[in-house]
Structure formats: structure tokens, C-alpha cells
Amino acid sequence: MALTGTADAAEPIRTAADQLLGLVADLDDPTARADSALPGWSRGHVITHLANFSEAMTRQVDEALQGRLIEVYDGGRPARDAAIEAGADRPATELAAHVTQAVTTLLTSWDKVSEDDWDRPILHRNSNLAAGLEATWRELTIHTTDLDLGVTPASWPTDFCLHLLDFLRARTPEGTHLILQSPTAAWENGTGQDLVLTGTLPDLTAWYAGRPSPVTGPELLPWP
């Protein structure tokens, strides 16, 4: 699904943001220090990553609207990773305030984008603002479930699942014709030997995204 083909392109982003910020509003320190669903990351790591990503994407949007390109993270991936580690153990109130401010500011930037702006280039994945909006959708939606605070992939809407499956097509192993069959939708990718997996669409999508799921299948290739 292409968000920019909808009447209100940023609506799914606002919905995902509301869910995330509602979860962290009353965060306490023990909860922030506890493990997330991502190996090696606490909830503080996830929240810091979301805040830093939101600030970085805000720069992508604001600079693109001025006809300029800017690096996603100053210092590249090493600086990104170091900033997550440095921020992960902050007090829960500081974590919540940071991600709330960062996400809210990013939403304001997305609201500035007009229909004629979506093709403007950005350096995030060497793409454009339309792809950046979709990346924001993925980051907020997936990492909200990674917080392991009661929201699971079962809440992922159909349009998000279909978008994420298409984005992750490169994960299908070589020599495999993967067929994901749910009661509401069917999706396939790759060539070779047929492999049919069944389940709900969110469960199938969570498996393909490397998230906890009752669906089991072969080892997948890395994220694109």
C-alpha cells in the first residue's frame, strides 16, 4: 500500500504515534529497564531509538522541503548506535518526554508536505519523502510492539501487513516460492519450490518480519 495515494497520507502515522505515546505516558523506571522483545535491547533502547529516528526523519523532511539533502544521522551508523546506548538508561520520565517531543515534532513536519512534494529526494535509503513516510509508519508500528507493553502484531491492520510484506520481499530464501495464506488475504513471492504457510495475516507478517509469531518457517534472509 502506498500511503501517498490516500486522501490523508499521514493518518496511519498519527494513529501509530498515538498508540506509542499512550503506552509510554506512564512509564516507570523498572518498566523502562526491563527487556524489550528485541534481543539485547531494553525498553529504554527501543524508546531512545524511536526518539532519535523521529528527530533524524524530521531533518530529512524539513531539509527536503527546502530542496536540500542531509545525512540521516551525523556520524552515520556508529553514531546512531552509540546514541541509542547512551540514552537507553535515562529515567523513564526523560525517555517518555524525549520520544513524545520527537514524534510530535515529526508529525508536524509531515503535515507540511503537500501532494507535489512526495517525490522530493532524501538520503534515508536514498529514496524520497513518500518512502520516508512509509519508513516512519514501519518504525512506529513495529517498534511499538517491540516494547512488549501489551500491544502485539495481532493489532497490525491489513494495509500495514500488506505494505510490510511487500517491503520485505528480499527476505524470501532463494529457490523458494513462498505463499502466505490467511483467511483474509493471500500473498506470494519468489520462485522455486512452493512453500505454503497459513495463519492470520498479522501472524504471517510478524513471522516474515522476524517478530514473535505462532507461524514457523524456514530461515529468512536479512532485512533489506
Side-chain angles (χ1 to χ4, degrees):
M1 173 187 173
L3 292 181
T4 53
T6 62
D8 184 354
E11 181 179 3
I13 313 303
R14 287 192 288 270
T15 299
D18 287 345
Q19 185 177 57
L20 166 65
L21 300 184
L23 281 181
V24 304
D26 298 320
L27 194 70
D28 58 32
D29 286 343
T31 304
R33 302 288 172 269
D35 291 341
S36 73
L38 291 177
W41 271 20
S42 69
R43 293 190 178 104
H45 283 87
V46 176
I47 292 169
T48 300
H49 167 57
L50 282 166
N52 293 351
F53 166 83
S54 297
E55 290 173 342
M57 186 57 74
T58 297
R59 293 202 314 169
Q60 295 290 290
V61 177
D62 290 348
E63 292 296 313
L65 291 177
Q66 297 300 317
R68 299 188 293 261
L69 295 174
I70 191 170
E71 292 294 333
V72 181
Y73 295 99
D74 291 334
R77 183 63 180 252
R80 165 200 177 272
D81 294 345
I84 293 171
E85 289 296 332
D89 291 335
R90 290 174 294 168
T93 53
E94 186 175 338
L95 289 166
H98 185 196
V99 75
T100 299
Q101 178 63 44
V103 170
T104 301
T105 301
L106 176 55
L107 292 176
T108 299
S109 289
W110 282 125
D111 284 340
K112 299 174 186 175
V113 181
S114 71
E115 290 185 8
D116 296 331
D117 292 323
W118 292 116
D119 287 334
R120 288 179 179 268
I122 59 174
L123 290 185
H124 183 271
R125 292 182 170 270
N126 292 315
S127 58
N128 59 21
L129 286 175
L133 185 71
E134 292 174 346
T136 302
W137 195 21
R138 294 192 299 270
E139 290 288 324
L140 297 185
T141 303
I142 295 172
H143 287 315
T144 293
T145 65
D146 290 335
L147 286 172
D148 195 20
L149 288 173
V151 176
T152 72
S155 67
W156 291 353
T158 296
D159 54 356
F160 178 76
C161 289
L162 295 175
H163 161 72
L164 185 56
L165 289 172
D166 284 340
F167 174 75
L168 295 175
R169 283 182 180 273
R171 300 206 77 194
T172 299
E174 294 183 9
T176 302
H177 177 214
L178 180 63
I179 303 168
L180 303 182
Q181 183 68 56
S182 79
T184 58
W187 180 90
E188 59 185 281
N189 185 46
T191 59
Q193 184 174 356
D194 287 351
L195 174 62
V196 181
L197 300 179
T198 60
T200 68
L201 185 60
D203 284 345
L204 290 164
T205 306
W207 166 77
Y208 202 57
R211 265 56 186 182
S213 170
V215 175
T216 59
E219 183 175 353
L220 297 168
L221 297 177
W223 271 59

